[in-house]
Amino acid sequence: MPARKTQTAILPLPPDELRELYRKMLTIRIFEETVFDVYRKGLMPGLAHLSDGQEATPVGVCAALRLDDTITSTHRGHGHIIAKGGQVEPMMAEVMGKVTGYCRGKGGEMHIADVSLGILGANGIVGGGIGIAAGSAFTAKREGKGRVSVAFFGDGAINQGILYETANIAVLWKLPLIYVCENNQYTEFTNYHKLTSGEGLVARAKAMGMNALEVDGNDVLAVYQAAHEMVEAARKGKGPATLVCQTFRYGGHHVGEPGTAYRSKEEITEWKARDPIPAFEKILLNHKVIAPSDIETMHDQIHTQLQEAVATAQEAPFPEVKEVGEHVYA
Amino acid sequence: MSMRELTFAQAIREALDEELARDERIFVLGEDVGAWGGVFRCTEGLFQKYGAERIIDTPLSEEGYIGLAVGAAMTGMHPVPELMFGDFITLAMDQIVNQAAKMRYMTGGQVQVPITIRVTMGGGRSSGGQHSQSWHAWMAHVPGLKVVVPSTPYDAKGLLKTALREPNPVVFFEDKVMYSKIKGPVPEEEYTIPFGKADVKREGKDVSLIAISRMVHPTLAAAEKLAAEGISAEVIDPRTLTPLDEETLIKSVAKTGGAVIIDEGYNHFGTTAELAATIAYGAFDFLDAPIERLGAMDVPIPFSPQLEFATIPDEAAIILAVHRILDGRRR
Ligand SMILES: Cc1ncc(C[n+]2csc(CCOP(=O)(O)OP(=O)(O)O)c2C)c(N)n1
Ligand SMILES: [Mg+2]
């Protein structure tokens, strides 16, 4: 099935919102590059899972969301968090294990959350956030204010039981829940075709009675349009939907490996030719939503913002050891 | 206070009923809990009273509906998922251990997870190896969970009401043998029982018998028989494992000088081990004999009654253990 592409004749959002989408995509890209740098300089503990190359999917989906809508994220979650409005300063501080981080240094790069923005946490268990997303959709339905819940997950979660257990419930109970699968073609070091039977998630979701669609996950407007339709239907009580976004991560599974041993040069080059950021730039320039100088300015601004975020986080204290026993119980 | 006799199941049902009426955020979900009223009758009539929106029949998807309950709790509801057989907790383990128990901690205190998971425990019904297990120690091993193990209708009601007002995840263990067989006085008036307060079920001075959940009953019967022999046994029910009322246990053993711990969970790395360590540390100077641990035998639970009853501590085993202590002899 050919992935759905943007029709570029009319743009689906007003210019200021389009510029904001672009800014977020660029922020994710530069955030990830900065984290890589932070890792290489030994300024962060542990490893990081970066999402450069995949920016269009979270930004396109979150453009369809309200502040009070919720998302659950994955181990590769920085993009989702920025797309939903997360601030890079407490994110960077959390990556670096500082007390000024979103989770006071208790979560780390894989568990960033900002509940006030509807970000119910990134999850280290592949598929582990899907139940939480279903629960948020349950609460949303009960509240009756048209709020929706989005579960982001990778192709690796396609074969987790909780996906189907909650999907069945979500269809039966008409929960306002959007399943967003970012298929970056690899589950860790194995191509997803080797791991997934049949025709894939769209076919499986349809078999369960759910609306489902596949889009080019590097086309931010195509992602937005599909997500928007699904979200609006869910707000009106039409139940859940599944959106599969085809995309590709540029780096390795984590910062500790380059991602070249199990992916061919050709494959990487091919995907890089479809980079979501220049592709969107082209559309914005063509429609005069943005000028080349705007792009440069924005780039510089974000770059500076992230350098400052790193510097501030470097100076910030680590949590005091006395905090270790706090927040176990409410 | 005006009292009446309720069964264990009726006490559970009454706690649910009162709390459902008190708090709109509470809802019950599980397999056959709705129109059918629950396999063990603990939700009987609640569907008719509160409707399908609040007493919800789920598909057989333990991980799915418990995961959903965790998310609902994080977003302001107070779900009460039921696991028909505690053995099935294994299917929901990720959602309980990796999600519910640590969401608050990992977010640096941003969320609360007020979820009350009701699960059964206990053998003795010839239900076989997958419908008889008691996994409370497993749950008590996990930081972030509270673990409740009531032994009487009075305690069950008061503790369940407390659980339903808790901002934390609670795993509430109900021994299914007690549902219809154990009856006891329950006041008409509203009451709750705080977590972390052990109950002295019988006072005594010669030996401390610390019993968990249904094991309180054979322990009380043993204490009665021991009294006839002139041995005064104190029976203590911790009622909650997390938090644990260490003080009451230690004080009792400091007074009596001996302890037997009786549990239907496994001995190996189990509740009896943890309580023995607590007592050994806190009452070391007062112990006259080694602490006796009577847990379930460390085998899968067998079907045939002759075999099954051999794996579960009973009155006779408790009396023997007390004699070993009073004789000052090792096993
Ligand atoms: C339940 C579970 N199994 C295995 C892992 C180890 N692991 C972490 S990420 C990952 C691959 C996930 O692939 P995918 O869902 O496609 O996400 P991507 O890394 O491609 O973003 C694996 C196997 C895990 N964290 N959780
Ligand atoms: Mg993947």
Side-chain angles (χ1 to χ4, degrees):
Chain A
M1 179 184 28
R4 205 163 80 158
K5 277 271 181 198
T6 309
Q7 306 295 313
T8 43
I10 326 157
L11 295 182
L13 287 165
D16 54 331
E17 286 183 42
L18 292 168
R19 280 192 290 271
E20 187 53 25
L21 260 56
Y22 181 75
R23 172 184 287 280
K24 280 185 170 162
M25 287 172 67
L26 207 52
T27 304
I28 296 171
R29 175 70 53 94
I30 297 173
F31 184 87
E32 300 296 50
E33 289 169 354
T34 310
V35 172
F36 190 57
D37 199 42
V38 160
Y39 167 76
R40 269 198 319 209
K41 289 181 177 150
L43 299 178
M44 67 169 287
L47 293 167
H49 303 79
L50 305 183
S51 64
D52 44 322
Q54 303 185 190
E55 295 85 351
T57 296
V59 171
V61 170
C62 290
L65 300 182
R66 310 193 308 220
L67 179 63
D68 64 344
D69 293 328
T70 64
I71 64 164
T72 58
S73 172
T74 70
H75 58 287
R76 201 176 303 290
H78 306 159
H80 310 134
I81 291 151
I82 291 170
K84 189 66 172 63
Q87 299 300 302
V88 296
E89 291 81 7
M91 285 180 73
M92 192 59 80
E94 190 63 34
V95 167
M96 292 165 70
K98 297 303 180 84
V99 73
T100 48
Y102 262 125
C103 309
R104 306 187 65 81
K106 282 186 166 140
E109 74 87 28
M110 203 164 32
H111 299 291
I112 301 176
D114 183 347
V115 175
S116 70
L117 296 171
I119 303 163
L120 298 180
N123 215 295
I125 306 297
V126 171
I130 295 174
I132 294 169
S136 177
F138 179 93
T139 304
K141 186 173 184 200
R142 182 64 57 93
E143 290 166 353
K145 293 179 188 147
R147 181 166 81 67
V148 305
S149 161
V150 171
F152 284 106
F153 54 93
D155 45 285
I158 290 179
N159 298 307
Q160 286 286 10
I162 195 163
L163 176 60
Y164 302 99
E165 293 194 8
T166 60
N168 178 54
I169 291 173
V171 171
L172 286 172
W173 300 355
K174 281 196 168 18
L175 298 183
L177 175 57
I178 317 297
Y179 292 91
V180 178
C181 174
E182 282 168 292
N183 183 354
N184 62 5
Q185 320 304 317
Y186 286 82
T187 301
E188 243 173 26
F189 315 114
T190 306
N191 189 284
Y192 93 102
H193 285 294
K194 289 192 188 153
L195 306 175
T196 301
S197 66
E199 289 168 34
L201 185 58
V202 167
R204 292 183 187 182
K206 283 185 175 164
M208 298 183 78
M210 202 188 301
N211 176 27
L213 192 68
E214 181 178 303
V215 295
D216 175 356
N218 279 8
D219 180 340
V220 66
L221 296 179
V223 173
Y224 165 73
Q225 279 171 316
H228 177 71
E229 282 165 29
M230 290 176 171
V231 164
E232 291 313 308
R235 290 201 202 290
K236 292 193 188 93
K238 302 237 164 76
T242 293
L243 180 61
V244 177
C245 303
Q246 300 292 347
T247 183
F248 197 74
R249 70 168 144 78
Y250 285 173
H253 172 61
H254 54 63
V255 289
E257 68 92 15
T260 47
Y262 49 92
R263 306 186 303 182
S264 70
K265 255 196 200 116
E266 294 72 42
E267 188 181 20
I268 297 172
T269 315
E270 214 173 279
W271 276 99
K272 285 198 169 171
R274 298 172 52 191
D275 191 312
I277 295 178
F280 190 38
E281 249 169 49
K282 210 164 128 195
I283 295 173
L284 296 181
L285 288 168
N286 280 346
H287 285 78
K288 302 206 176 356
V289 173
I290 209 163
S293 62
D294 293 340
I295 293 174
E296 221 169 291
T297 315
M298 220 186 264
H299 197 282
D300 290 348
Q301 279 173 351
I302 297 168
H303 195 76
T304 309
Q305 187 188 10
L306 275 154
Q307 290 311 308
E308 284 171 7
V310 173
T312 313
Q314 253 186 294
E315 278 161 35
F318 285 105
E320 286 186 47
V321 174
K322 71 174 164 56
E323 281 205 25
V324 72
E326 290 172 14
H327 307 123
V328 180
Y329 294 100
Chain B
M1 276 205 276
S2 46
M3 294 277 187
R4 68 259 131 90
E5 292 268 311
L6 294 185
T7 64
F8 196 87
Q10 285 166 337
I12 295 283
R13 190 203 157 281
E14 207 170 83
L16 289 172
D17 189 5
E18 289 176 14
E19 294 300 298
L20 280 157
R22 182 187 62 80
D23 186 349
E24 278 285 312
R25 301 172 314 140
I26 294 174
F27 67 98
V28 170
L29 69 168
E31 296 158 11
D32 286 323
V33 298
W36 180 253
V39 169
F40 298 109
R41 314 315 299 159
C42 290
T43 53
E44 192 152 35
L46 298 180
F47 177 87
Q48 289 73 14
K49 189 165 172 185
Y50 296 99
E53 296 273 289
R54 294 188 69 199
I55 313 295
I56 306 170
D57 282 319
T58 64
L60 275 61
S61 303
E62 288 79 9
E63 185 184 14
Y65 75 76
I66 290 195
L68 182 148
V70 174
M74 286 170 65
T75 49
M77 306 292 287
H78 192 135
V80 190
E82 175 182 295
L83 277 170
M84 189 188 292
F85 288 88
D87 311 70
F88 310 160
I89 206 162
T90 53
L91 287 113
M93 213 56 148
D94 177 59
Q95 293 301 315
I96 297 171
V97 175
N98 283 324
Q99 312 298 338
K102 47 180 74 58
M103 270 305 140
R104 178 171 182 77
Y105 194 82
M106 289 204 311
T107 61
Q110 290 184 56
V111 292
Q112 295 187 347
V113 190
I115 176 177
T116 303
I117 305 169
R118 291 183 43 244
V119 309
T120 59
M121 63 184 279
R125 304 164 81 242
S126 284
S127 298
Q130 296 166 337
H131 289 72
S132 307
Q133 300 166 92
S134 302
W135 286 131
H136 45 289
W138 209 354
M139 292 294 105
H141 195 61
V142 182
L145 302 178
K146 296 198 174 180
V147 179
V148 187
V149 281
S151 68
T152 66
Y154 176 85
D155 288 350
K157 183 178 174 190
L159 290 165
L160 184 53
K161 282 174 70 89
T162 300
L164 294 167
R165 298 167 190 206
E166 260 279 329
N168 295 297
V170 176
V171 189
F172 195 94
F173 282 88
E174 301 165 14
D175 191 308
K176 52 197 172 295
V177 173
M178 295 197 289
Y179 278 138
S180 59
K181 289 214 176 102
I182 297 294
K183 273 191 159 193
V186 177
E188 302 266 7
E189 293 81 9
E190 163 106 34
Y191 70 99
T192 59
I193 297 173
F195 287 179
K197 277 199 84 70
D199 188 38
V200 180
K201 296 283 189 226
R202 179 187 175 114
E203 286 195 28
K205 57 181 176 39
D206 297 332
V207 64
S208 302
L209 310 182
I210 296 138
I212 307 297
S213 182
R214 186 179 70 80
M215 287 297 112
V216 166
H217 301 286
T219 303
L220 284 169
E224 192 64 34
K225 290 220 170 117
L226 289 164
E229 300 175 26
I231 300 166
S232 161
E234 180 146 291
V235 178
I236 296 178
D237 175 358
R239 299 200 289 201
T240 59
L241 299 182
T242 312
L244 179 65
D245 181 357
E246 298 185 1
E247 196 187 325
T248 300
L249 304 186
I250 291 167
K251 274 192 177 155
S252 172
V253 179
K255 175 175 73 176
T256 62
V260 184
I261 305 161
I262 309 104
D263 181 32
E264 214 182 316
Y266 293 120
N267 261 340
H268 199 64
F269 289 84
T271 304
T272 61
E274 181 64 28
L275 298 189
T278 302
I279 291 165
Y281 190 83
F284 183 75
D285 291 337
F286 302 93
L287 283 167
D288 300 325
I291 297 165
E292 289 283 340
R293 293 167 53 200
L294 301 182
M297 196 186 285
D298 293 309
V299 297
I301 297 169
F303 167 74
S304 190
Q306 284 74 3
L307 297 178
E308 182 172 21
F309 284 112
T311 72
I312 305 172
D314 60 10
E315 204 181 297
I318 298 165
I319 291 171
L320 273 175
V322 169
H323 283 149
R324 279 197 298 273
I325 285 181
L326 296 183
D327 295 349
R329 275 191 278 111
R330 280 176 188 276
R331 239 188 281 190

